[in-house]
Amino acid sequence: MNVATAAGWALVGAVVAEAFLHLGRIRAGNAGARLPWRTGADLAADGLAFLLRALAGCGLAAAGVAAGQICDVGPAFVAGLAAPLLVAKIFQVVEPMTRSTEELKAEPASPFGVQRTRSGSEKASDASH
């Protein structure tokens, strides 16, 4: 199997995964079975997210073929099916960074941000330790 064929089957798998994700969103979010997109910007953002997740599936399958790990249609389809779901789950778990670089640099050096003193009170750690 060549890389283009694997990427094609991965794209089919990614489309199936995305269809199930969107069907779940439509069913869960709307009793009247309306689409979850409120504006054209929501639809465009969702389309871009779909495209990126589908490309992740294609890339995963292409890398598997190049490494000699994927040599049939089934694993290529499963790679495409799994990649969008993994990407969606990662973005559910990972919190986006909302603080600026200056705020991060101003944080204390302690990994917990607080040090206990001998008297038992807490104080912010300084970077001199």
Side-chain angles (χ1 to χ4, degrees):
M1 170 177 283
N2 63 15
V3 172
T5 304
W9 279 106
L11 184 61
V12 171
V15 168
V16 169
E18 289 291 332
F20 280 118
L21 285 172
H22 288 302
L23 181 62
R25 284 179 61 199
I26 291 169
R27 285 186 178 172
N30 302 299
R34 294 180 321 187
L35 294 175
W37 306 286
R38 303 277 185 242
T39 64
D42 291 341
L43 181 60
D46 227 27
L48 179 63
F50 162 73
L51 180 65
L52 293 174
R53 289 189 297 251
L55 288 176
C58 292
L60 182 63
V65 168
Q69 299 297 316
I70 294 178
C71 57
D72 199 11
V73 171
F77 178 81
V78 170
L81 185 72
L85 301 174
L86 289 172
V87 171
K89 184 54 87 175
I90 288 170
F91 281 112
Q92 285 177 355
V93 173
V94 175
E95 190 174 312
M97 186 172 151
T98 57
R99 296 186 297 173
S100 69
T101 306
E102 290 79 23
E103 289 174 331
L104 291 173
K105 287 180 182 176
E107 281 189 359
S110 171
F112 302 107
V114 176
Q115 288 182 337
R116 292 228 180 247
T117 62
R118 289 184 185 202
S119 64
S121 63
E122 295 179 350
K123 70 171 189 169
S125 63
D126 55 356
S128 65
H129 290 272

